Amino acid sequence: MFDSLQDRLQSAFKNLRGKGRLSEADIDATAREIRLALLDADVAVPVVRAFTARVKERALGVEVSKALNPAQQVVKIVNEELVTILGGETRRVRFAKNPPTVIMLAGLQGAGKTTLAGKLGRWLKEQGNSPMLVACDLQRPNAVNQLQVVGQQAGVTVFAPEAGNTGGGDGGAEGTRSVGDPVQVARDAIAEARRTLHDVVVVDTAGRLGIDADLMQQARDIRDAVNPDEVLFVIDAMIGQDAVQTAEAFAEGVDFTGVVLTKLDGDARGGAALSVREITGRPIMFASTGEKLTDFDVFHPDRMAGRILD
Ligand code: GDP
């Protein structure tokens, strides 16, 4: 995903190699190249500006060191600043003192929420938990079925409204299909998890192609009904400059507690991955790197920075 950014940063550093001491002009030129490299990678403009300013300020202040030459010092600074914009420390899931822990997923349609529910289920099970996945995406045809399939693959229980009885709601008039009430499904699922001793509940919610007031309200209603311990905003790392607007809308709409980056295996420019933490102030907690249930891990800012600078 970061191939081009990687190359561009390497070439920015190359110009510093062999220099005994860095002049202000050297640092300016390098900062400019870094800035362009980040902009080309689709990193959000305010993030690029802040990042470059910090690198420049620190590079100007570096002491002459015996251990590292100037070029190495700049690489070290860029690495540290990348770790910072990616969130610094790894942020772990906050489990509830009184189970079940409730993890709600929110994001645009196609971001990878349903797939993620399966991945999280598998991961939680591996950690020794007894998770339950809940199908509250009653908008997208087939979403309930898709969750059942990934649940089965992961060997995890799925709570879903029965076909033809999608959790109550306003169905009923003859000939109209019940649209169901995802809020009620979520509530019922928590009660069921308590009864059946599932200690983590992962709630999949509906997404739309664009930001949509009804979608946001529905997500908020589910959130308010189940009082989640974590609300995870799922974002496709390939969405480019739209990342800022989407992330801000979900931060405002559902006040998420953490971010999951998906499709990091893609070959797009990946600026969303580098922007979302800084834009929203919320930590990136997990990363998805493919369609298989195993293509998933806890997000480590230092490893990601290392990959970009590798
Ligand atoms: P939802 O609408 O948010 O529930 O999204 P889905 O879970 O249905 O995912 C949309 C598409 O993206 C599906 O075809 C998934 O297989 C695919 N997908 C999900 N996560 C990843 C990922 O990390 N990498 C890749 N390459 N594809 C993914």
Side-chain angles (χ1 to χ4, degrees):
M1 163 150 280
F2 295 107
D3 292 355
S4 158
L5 176 61
Q6 210 171 24
D7 291 349
R8 297 279 300 269
L9 290 175
Q10 290 308 333
S11 86
F13 301 141
K14 200 147 63 190
N15 298 334
L16 298 175
R17 253 179 240 150
K19 294 204 190 256
R21 205 185 168 83
L22 299 184
S23 67
E24 202 168 330
D26 291 329
I27 291 169
D28 274 346
T30 307
R32 195 161 42 239
E33 283 183 60
I34 293 173
R35 184 171 157 269
L36 292 175
L38 293 171
L39 288 173
D40 276 355
D42 265 345
V43 180
V45 175
V47 177
V48 175
R49 204 173 289 140
F51 182 89
T52 322
R54 285 199 296 257
V55 168
K56 202 164 137 180
E57 190 189 314
R58 289 186 58 191
L60 283 170
V62 292
E63 301 286 324
V64 180
S65 146
K66 287 202 179 71
L68 298 175
N69 64 39
Q72 288 167 329
Q73 293 197 34
V74 173
V75 174
K76 182 164 174 279
I77 291 168
V78 171
N79 180 60
E80 287 168 3
E81 292 298 333
L82 279 174
V83 174
T84 302
I85 64 165
L86 290 167
E89 299 286 305
T90 300
R91 159 73 152 75
R92 308 276 171 186
V93 173
R94 282 191 293 241
F95 288 96
K97 283 202 194 77
N98 298 314
T101 297
V102 179
I103 302 175
M104 173 177 150
L105 311 181
L108 295 181
Q109 183 172 320
K113 288 180 297 302
T114 306
T115 311
L116 173 73
K119 291 175 175 184
L120 267 176
R122 182 186 168 279
W123 179 81
L124 286 161
K125 208 173 137 187
E126 245 178 36
Q127 311 280 307
N129 296 104
S130 172
M132 173 194 262
L133 311 183
V134 184
C136 287
D137 180 354
L138 308 183
Q139 307 279 338
R140 181 160 63 89
N142 208 32
V144 172
N145 182 252
Q146 190 190 338
L147 190 73
Q148 278 162 333
V149 170
V150 293
Q152 203 166 33
Q153 284 168 355
V156 172
T157 307
V158 175
F159 183 91
E162 283 168 32
N165 171 28
T166 44
D170 57 354
E174 222 176 41
T176 53
R177 192 173 146 260
S178 168
V179 293
D181 177 3
V183 176
Q184 193 55 45
V185 173
R187 276 204 193 99
D188 292 348
I190 307 289
E192 176 71 4
R194 275 213 180 92
R195 206 175 59 74
T196 51
L197 302 180
H198 286 92
D199 61 358
V200 187
V201 176
V202 177
V203 181
D204 189 19
T205 65
R208 302 274 165 84
L209 288 173
I211 297 157
D212 167 312
D214 288 347
L215 152 79
M216 230 28 118
Q217 189 58 49
Q218 185 186 88
R220 228 180 347 248
D221 290 345
I222 295 175
R223 184 198 65 190
D224 293 347
V226 301
N227 193 20
D229 300 281
E230 299 280 7
V231 179
L232 300 184
F233 168 54
V234 184
I235 183 169
D236 177 340
M238 306 207 284
I239 73 170
Q241 290 290 348
D242 285 350
V244 174
Q245 204 202 352
T246 310
E248 280 174 344
F250 276 90
E252 159 105 29
V254 293
D255 196 17
F256 54 84
T257 58
V259 178
V260 181
L261 292 172
T262 62
K263 312 194 191 180
L264 280 170
D265 53 312
D267 55 7
R269 294 174 285 185
L274 288 167
S275 310
V276 70
R277 157 70 216 221
E278 193 93 341
I279 293 288
T280 65
R282 312 309 205 273
I284 304 168
M285 293 173 60
F286 295 101
S288 257
T289 50
E291 297 192 67
K292 293 201 298 289
L293 289 182
T294 45
D295 297 330
F296 170 78
D297 207 351
V298 170
F299 183 79
H300 299 289
D302 52 345
R303 285 190 212 164
M304 176 73 124
R307 247 181 66 196
I308 294 169
L309 289 179
D310 205 3

